[in-house]
Amino acid sequence: MTANEEKKVQLEEHAHQEMAEEISPELEAFLHTDPSKGLTTAEVTERLAKFGPNQLTEVKKNVFLKFLGYFTGAIAYLIEIAWILSAVVQDWVNFGIIGALLLVNAAIGFIEESKAENALDALKNTLALKTRVWRNGDLIEIDVSDLVPGDIIVLRLGDIVPADCRLLGIGVHGEPVEGNLQIDQSALTGESLPVSKGKGATAYSSSIVKQGQQMGVVTKTGENTFIGRAATLMSNTNEQGHFQKIINKIGNFLVFITVVLVVILFIVLMVKTHAHDVLNIIKDVLVLTVAAIPVGLPTVMSVTMAVGAKQLAKKEVIVKRLTAVEEMASVSVLCSDKTGTLTLNELTFDEPWLCKGYSSDDILLYSYMAAEQGANDPIEYAVRTAARSQLEVLKSLGERDTKIPGFKTNSFLPFNPVTKLTQATILNEETGETFKVAKGAPQVIIKLVGGNDDAVHAVNSLARRGLRALGVARTIPGDLEQWELIGMISLLDPPRPDSAETIARCHEMGVSVKMITGDQLIIAKEVAQRLGMQRAILDAHKLVEADVSEEEIVRRCVKADGFAQVIPEHKYRVVELLQEQGLLVGMTGDGVNDAPALKKANVGIAVHGCTDAARSASDIVLLAPGLSTIVDGITTSRAIFQRMRSYALYRITSTIHFLLFFFFVTIIYQWKLEAILLIFIAVLNDCATLVIAVDNAQISQRPDKWRIGQLITMSFVLAVFLTAASFAHFFIARDVFEVGAKELETIMYLHISSCPHFVIFSTRLSGFFWENIPSWTFTVAILGTQVFAMLISVFGVPGLTHAIGWGWGCGVLAISLGYFIVLDFVKVFLFRVWSFELTATLWPSPSRRRKLVERKAQKELSARVATNTEKVRTAVRAIGAVALLQNGVSEKRTTA
């Protein structure tokens, strides 16, 4: 059995509405405790030893080891090798500079990411601290960590359920209870409405009792609970981030070519010198190694992302994991939790169905009369809130004032599970009329009024749309026994005001939005329609069917616009399936149930009002309500991505240029540039390019991708052109003008400092450099460093450069400026001829070949559709022409 098949089998075990695993016979034997006495001390001690405490295991990483982790990776290893070689040849200046760069880069990453909280701590904090339990025949209060399977606990209004438990249907003293518990488990399952649970049902750890009182027997504790499984998923999700993978790919390429060239150089020099003076050979090799190291690449990337994080913070988008800034720009699928994220997570009035003669205000007023004042029931609260906000007669009432002006409540019958309605007797103080009002289950109210076929059809229509209906009726004037129907009110957890616009804007930016909810399928479809989404909502159980192939499940996942009746494992599974397709996935959410998927996603986004667990598992936290700030986040992150990619293209080009030029010039002519000058170039130029973090940037309309093959190929081509320019400078200065050795070294220093550096004006964008003018800050910084390099070359610095005069200084700088324009045309040409088809041809892979076949099929289909459409248009025009001619209109006029 493959790993994916095993995962499907595991998930299918959880994929039913009650979510909990089946209780094993061994565990079932522990659950038959006498409710009047509870467990004994001896039984508790034995079970604590067997099952452990009712708490989540903490896994914390050593701070020192975490800091050392920032010294790993291909580029870091390359820098460390050069650092060690500097010590071997006793080049202490390079040793100090390279070591400082290592520490600075590690410190930036460590400081920026050390603010993240431990997700398991937050999950632990969501549990109740104390609970009431029967032990040794006494009702006592204990720490929730001391609970064991078989304990008899008491659940009351407002309690946080301390462990998974099976409801017993009896009160605290063993008496039968009327009605079920109303339990809010939206933070666990995403269901927008409290769930009614009676005897035998399971109440899950960390859900909240909204109404009623019952006793329950604890079935599962700690990591075996529903929330514990979520914690386990989170602790097992510790994958390397997308950005680290990209940097490592770049680093691996540079390490490979550096090692190959350095080894070749070392062997050639050893042969030429007959292995004499090994230390000098190592110094020569060190020059090439130092030239190959993009020492500033990690630092510039980190600083660029840190500046971007501060920009996002001003837009109320808080970045916890620095690399999430880059990854957000590449997100192509956004999985969004519905309840509390796309919707308000509160029941509100929707459009009512009304009987003739009644208005929307009428049904609101009568509903308010029949509402239980002060009750915590979400339906009663929704009725009271809607009436107070919409009816003029109630707007002036104080918060505690429940009396309707002009009316007096003579009697009130609260909701009863048997009758399934609330009823009030009302006196109209102005007319003296007394009447009754009833509000309750539609079938009960319809029966009360003697039947109404139109009302039955209305209720069925509302049910098909996933709306909860309540009937409202009143007695006719003068007869307290004769009822007439007012209408049906409908209740829904409504979308946030900005959700539909946000989804539309995401689609415009190439980001597909998929809704994920624990609600029923019909409710999900109704909300999707109101959000402007397609109604292709998939029951999440379809993701774990054991008799369906993995390819079919992946196809379902990719094609669906949303998923209903999900549990945390389903959300995790959705993210995993999409990632296996090579998609970068963003996940938004606010509850404990979202935490595993938030951590699994490439970018986990905790929304406003989220739980501690969601906040801690996420990479980004939204401070403003709703999803509207996500668009700002995507826009800003794409600008940051463009800056980072432009710098990467420039820096890889420079590195390859250094390698090619110094490899050939060292082997052929035994010429070298002092390592301190190369370090000086790298440090000075990278300090200048730090301001790329505030440069102007073009915002792409589609998710950004690194396209490593394209990046390296373009870097190599540009580097070859730069190498040609370097040899031209070398030969002209040495052979034509016959400058001295020191002057030649300074001339080559100025050229190698300026010519590759000005290329960054070209790599900023894919089009011509003038299509998006760089910021003044960036321009001044880049030009300023090269003017400084020119001045120290013109006048010379003892121990560093030899004076070459204004002619050489200005000439080299002018050529470098002109040459970047030539390279800009080369770059534009490469971008224009480059395509996915070219990539798939040059570097074929199974996924690329599959995509290539799909794209060709899509093009053929589009071509056939276009051809058929044109045939239809031609036929229509011909028919129109015939009709016009029959009416005496000329062919010439028809054409016109």
Side-chain angles (χ1 to χ4, degrees):
M1 182 181 293
T2 66
N4 281 330
E5 289 172 341
E6 289 180 0
K7 186 178 292 292
K8 284 167 60 179
V9 171
Q10 291 170 1
L11 288 174
E12 190 178 45
E13 293 175 359
H14 306 311
H16 51 82
Q17 193 164 359
E18 277 297 334
M19 298 176 303
E21 298 172 352
E22 292 295 329
I23 303 298
S24 64
E26 294 80 7
L27 181 58
E28 184 68 40
F30 288 94
L31 306 182
H32 299 284
T33 309
D34 185 348
S36 63
K37 296 180 180 179
L39 298 176
T40 64
T41 302
E43 289 174 322
V44 170
T45 302
E46 179 187 348
R47 297 183 189 194
L48 269 176
K50 181 177 179 63
F51 297 101
N54 180 35
Q55 59 188 22
L56 302 178
T57 304
E58 299 182 38
V59 180
K60 293 187 177 180
K61 189 174 181 179
N62 183 280
V63 176
F64 180 69
L65 293 178
K66 183 179 179 182
F67 180 70
L68 289 181
Y70 292 93
F71 294 94
T72 60
I75 293 178
Y77 294 147
L78 197 59
I79 298 175
E80 288 155 13
I81 290 171
W83 185 59
I84 294 170
L85 284 175
S86 299
V88 171
V89 299
Q90 298 181 354
D91 189 348
W92 302 117
V93 174
N94 288 340
F95 180 83
I97 294 174
I98 296 173
L101 287 170
L102 273 170
L103 287 173
V104 167
N105 184 58
I108 290 174
F110 181 77
I111 292 171
E112 289 292 335
E113 296 187 13
S114 63
K115 301 173 184 177
E117 301 171 347
N118 187 290
L120 295 179
D121 282 343
L123 278 171
K124 180 180 176 182
N125 291 336
T126 63
L127 296 176
L129 300 178
K130 297 281 186 180
T131 188
R132 294 202 306 165
V133 60
W134 283 96
R135 292 271 179 91
N136 299 310
D138 295 321
L139 186 62
I140 61 174
E141 189 173 68
I142 65 169
D143 292 336
V144 296
S145 60
D146 294 332
L147 284 176
V148 295
D151 261 327
I152 303 298
I153 59 174
V154 179
L155 299 176
R156 300 172 300 176
L157 173 67
D159 282 352
I160 298 175
V161 181
D164 287 1
C165 62
R166 180 186 296 162
L167 299 181
L168 298 175
I170 56 177
V172 66
H173 297 296
E175 71 281 4
V177 294
E178 290 187 5
N180 296 337
L181 286 185
Q182 297 295 319
I183 296 181
D184 179 3
Q185 54 186 35
S186 61
L188 301 176
T189 66
E191 294 169 290
S192 56
L193 297 173
V195 180
S196 178
K197 299 201 174 190
K199 182 178 179 180
T202 299
Y204 296 104
S205 175
S206 290
S207 57
I208 303 171
V209 179
K210 288 292 188 180
Q211 186 174 313
Q213 175 178 299
Q214 272 195 50
M215 288 204 299
V217 57
V218 173
T219 56
K220 295 181 181 180
T221 58
E223 294 179 356
N224 296 317
T225 62
F226 180 73
I227 190 175
R229 295 205 305 274
T232 301
L233 280 176
M234 292 172 63
S235 64
N236 291 337
T237 304
N238 196 20
E239 299 178 356
Q240 188 182 50
H242 171 260
F243 181 69
Q244 284 85 354
K245 292 177 182 177
I246 295 298
I247 292 297
N248 283 341
K249 284 183 180 179
I250 295 173
N252 291 336
F253 168 75
L254 296 178
V255 167
F256 174 75
I257 62 173
T258 300
V259 169
V260 170
L261 295 182
V262 164
V263 169
I264 293 173
L265 180 63
F266 183 77
I267 294 173
V268 170
L269 293 179
M270 288 288 284
V271 171
K272 283 187 175 183
T273 61
H274 303 288
H276 295 306
D277 203 3
V278 176
L279 278 181
N280 279 332
I281 293 176
I282 293 177
K283 284 185 179 180
D284 292 338
V285 170
L286 176 63
V287 172
L288 187 61
T289 307
V290 171
I293 299 172
V295 286
L297 181 61
T299 304
V300 172
M301 294 290 197
S302 295
V303 170
T304 303
M305 289 186 290
V307 171
K310 290 180 174 60
Q311 293 173 347
L312 288 171
K314 295 178 181 177
K315 299 181 179 181
E316 298 189 284
V317 179
I318 305 301
V319 177
K320 289 177 53 193
R321 179 172 62 84
L322 202 58
T323 55
V325 174
E326 176 271 339
E327 291 168 6
M328 193 172 186
S330 304
V331 165
S332 56
V333 178
L334 181 65
C335 297
S336 178
D337 176 57
K338 178 187 77 69
T339 307
T341 304
L342 294 175
T343 64
L344 294 172
N345 194 20
E346 58 183 42
L347 280 180
T348 58
F349 259 48
D350 200 59
E351 192 68 28
W353 178 84
L354 299 168
C355 290
K356 188 175 181 180
Y358 289 102
S359 67
S360 178
D361 284 353
D362 291 334
I363 198 169
L364 263 180
L365 179 62
Y366 289 118
S367 299
Y368 185 83
M369 291 177 178
E372 185 176 355
Q373 303 300 324
N376 287 319
D377 182 81
I379 294 177
E380 301 293 83
Y381 179 80
V383 168
R384 298 197 305 267
T385 301
R388 282 175 172 262
S389 63
Q390 297 181 37
L391 297 178
E392 292 296 331
V393 70
L394 299 178
K395 287 182 179 180
S396 59
L397 294 181
E399 187 175 336
R400 297 186 178 182
D401 188 2
T402 60
K403 184 179 183 301
I404 306 172
F407 295 91
K408 179 183 178 181
T409 304
N410 290 333
S411 65
F412 184 85
L413 294 176
F415 182 82
N416 186 307
V418 177
T419 62
K420 294 184 179 180
L421 55 76
T422 58
Q423 185 174 305
T425 303
I426 307 296
L427 171 65
N428 186 329
E429 296 177 330
E430 184 177 338
T431 64
E433 174 198 356
T434 298
F435 59 93
K436 292 181 179 179
V437 182
K439 169 177 63 65
Q443 67 273 18
V444 173
I445 298 299
I446 291 173
K447 182 178 180 182
L448 188 67
V449 300
N452 186 311
D453 291 340
D454 291 339
V456 172
H457 291 311
V459 172
N460 291 336
S461 176
L462 292 171
R464 283 193 296 271
R465 294 169 52 201
L467 299 177
R468 174 171 291 195
L470 286 177
V472 182
R474 61 154 293 171
T475 55
I476 63 176
D479 189 347
L480 292 180
E481 300 301 323
Q482 184 65 39
W483 294 85
E484 67 177 2
L485 186 64
I486 297 172
M488 297 287 167
I489 60 176
S490 58
L491 298 169
L492 179 75
D493 178 17
R496 289 184 180 274
D498 60 345
S499 290
E501 182 185 356
T502 299
I503 291 172
R505 292 183 65 187
C506 284
H507 285 159
E508 290 172 3
M509 301 179 76
V511 179
S512 172
V513 180
K514 296 182 184 293
M515 182 178 69
I516 300 181
T517 178
D519 274 328
Q520 295 178 358
L521 193 62
I522 53 174
I523 297 177
K525 288 185 175 183
E526 176 68 18
V527 174
Q529 181 174 325
R530 295 183 182 220
L531 289 171
M533 302 172 66
Q534 299 297 319
R535 290 171 57 93
I537 307 298
L538 186 70
D539 187 322
H541 299 162
K542 299 290 185 181
L543 297 175
V544 294
E545 291 181 340
D547 57 345
V548 178
S549 67
E550 185 75 9
E551 292 74 18
E552 174 61 18
I553 287 180
V554 169
R555 189 193 67 80
R556 290 175 178 178
C557 186
V558 172
K559 296 294 184 183
D561 296 299
F563 306 90
Q565 295 182 218
V566 300
I567 59 176
E569 287 93 335
H570 287 148
K571 296 186 179 186
Y572 188 94
R573 176 73 165 152
V574 167
V575 174
E576 185 178 50
L577 288 171
L578 293 172
Q579 287 176 334
E580 287 176 0
Q581 288 297 103
L583 301 171
L584 259 70
V585 182
M587 173 73 194
T588 73
D590 64 345
V592 177
N593 64 313
D594 303 314
L598 287 173
K599 191 172 182 184
K600 174 65 177 173
N602 298 97
V603 182
I605 306 168
V607 299
H608 173 75
C610 61
T611 62
D612 288 341
R615 185 182 302 111
S616 297
S618 64
D619 306 307
I620 291 175
V621 180
L622 306 183
L623 299 184
L627 291 181
S628 59
T629 49
I630 280 186
V631 176
D632 292 330
I634 292 174
T635 302
T636 303
S637 63
R638 288 186 182 179
I640 295 165
F641 182 94
Q642 293 298 330
R643 295 167 187 148
M644 291 169 62
R645 186 168 61 180
S646 67
Y647 173 77
L649 179 57
Y650 148 74
R651 199 64 188 86
I652 298 171
T653 298
S654 299
T655 298
I656 298 174
H657 161 238
F658 283 4
L659 278 170
L660 292 177
F661 175 70
F662 284 108
F663 175 77
F664 288 111
V665 83
T666 304
I667 282 185
I668 300 172
Y669 301 104
Q670 287 77 52
W671 185 88
K672 64 180 180 180
L673 193 65
E674 289 295 329
I676 183 63
L677 286 176
L678 287 172
I679 291 288
F680 194 73
I681 291 172
V683 173
L684 188 65
N685 289 2
D686 280 335
C687 285
T689 50
L690 282 174
V691 297
I692 199 172
V694 294
D695 184 29
N696 298 331
Q698 278 189 334
I699 310 298
S700 59
Q701 292 302 308
R702 309 294 298 174
D704 289 305
K705 293 182 180 179
W706 277 99
R707 296 183 175 88
I708 296 297
Q710 182 190 69
L711 186 69
I712 291 176
T713 303
M714 294 190 68
S715 298
F716 188 83
V717 172
L718 295 176
V720 168
F721 276 85
L722 285 172
T723 303
S726 296
F727 274 108
H729 277 73
F730 180 80
F731 290 130
I732 291 173
R734 189 191 69 169
D735 300 335
V736 177
F737 289 92
E738 298 180 345
V739 300
K742 290 294 182 182
E743 288 87 350
L744 178 61
E745 190 173 71
T746 302
I747 290 170
M748 292 309 298
Y749 156 73
L750 180 58
H751 159 74
I752 291 171
S753 174
S754 61
C755 198
H757 199 46
F758 288 146
V759 172
I760 199 168
F761 285 128
S762 173
T763 61
R764 293 177 56 256
L765 63 163
S766 57
F768 292 106
F769 72 93
W770 60 78
E771 293 177 7
N772 182 266
I773 303 300
S775 67
W776 278 108
T777 305
F778 182 72
T779 304
V780 169
I782 300 300
L783 293 179
T785 56
Q786 299 317 310
V787 169
F788 175 77
M790 182 188 71
L791 291 176
I792 65 174
S793 300
V794 168
F795 296 106
V797 175
L800 187 66
T801 58
H802 188 84
I804 58 174
W806 286 102
W808 275 108
C810 294
V812 170
L813 210 63
I815 291 171
S816 296
L817 271 172
Y819 200 63
F820 109 76
I821 298 175
V822 174
L823 294 182
D824 192 61
F825 280 87
V826 173
K827 174 210 67 181
V828 171
F829 172 76
L830 288 173
F831 268 120
R832 287 182 177 176
V833 300
W834 199 281
S835 63
F836 174 79
E837 288 76 9
L838 181 61
T839 305
T841 303
L842 295 177
W843 293 282
S845 67
S847 62
R848 285 173 180 161
R849 284 196 293 267
R850 185 179 67 253
K851 288 181 180 178
L852 194 60
V853 171
E854 291 175 354
R855 290 193 179 191
K856 287 182 178 178
Q858 185 63 38
K859 285 183 179 179
E860 291 175 1
L861 178 62
S862 299
R864 287 199 299 270
V865 170
T867 302
N868 292 335
T869 302
E870 185 58 33
K871 287 180 179 178
V872 171
R873 288 175 178 170
T874 302
V876 170
R877 285 196 295 267
I879 293 171
V882 171
L884 289 171
L885 286 171
Q886 288 176 345
N887 289 316
V889 183
S890 69
E891 181 71 25
K892 184 175 181 180
R893 178 159 183 156
T894 301
T895 305

